[in-house]
Amino acid sequence: MPAIQRIRPEGLVASPAFSHVAVVPPGATTIYVGGQNSVDSQGALVGGSDVAAQSARALENAKTALAAAGASIGDVVQWTVLFVNGADIAAGYRAIAAELASDEPALVTAALVAGLGVPGALVEISAVAAVLPDTAP
């Protein structure tokens, strides 16, 4: 089965942090991870007003959700990261950038929002992943 293609076309900004286009071949299983905040298993906010701590925990929660569906961070095709207006976006990204970095990085959409569903949450991370069938004999 062909691999997922992550494309960074000439003529668009070249970045090691994200790709512009992803092509998922037929037969892949698509996994959608809903928005993950910085909460513990009881739903309590973790990280207080520290956007870096919240970003790291939200990513850990997204990884837990991916694993529950048989996927890993390397299978992610698209990340969506929402930051609350006024949050230090650079600090939030620094906290998760090393884990998102790859030779073929996923697509990334980021946006500033007025607020999130979890009171006090400064960041929310969602993902779309694709897992190719095992082709081992």
Side-chain angles (χ1 to χ4, degrees):
M1 168 165 278
I4 296 167
Q5 293 178 291
R6 292 173 178 91
I7 304 168
R8 292 179 266 182
E10 198 167 312
L12 296 179
V13 65
S15 173
F18 60 86
S19 296
H20 291 279
V21 180
V23 180
V24 177
T29 299
T30 305
I31 299 164
Y32 301 89
V33 176
Q36 299 297 308
N37 300 109
S38 175
V39 295
D40 64 18
S41 63
Q42 304 301 308
L45 188 66
V46 175
S49 62
D50 182 343
V51 70
Q54 283 200 26
S55 295
R57 179 55 187 252
L59 183 60
E60 285 303 312
N61 289 350
K63 288 168 41 180
T64 297
L66 287 164
S72 71
I73 201 167
D75 298 313
V76 173
V77 175
Q78 168 78 48
W79 293 104
T80 300
V81 184
L82 305 176
F83 289 100
V84 171
N85 280 322
D88 183 349
I89 296 170
Y93 270 122
R94 275 193 304 273
I96 61 176
E99 288 201 69
L100 300 185
S102 164
D103 288 339
E104 293 187 347
L107 287 63
V108 177
T109 298
L112 292 172
V113 297
L116 297 166
V118 174
L122 300 173
V123 64
E124 184 167 296
I125 300 174
S126 61
V128 177
V131 177
L132 302 172
D134 186 7
T135 55

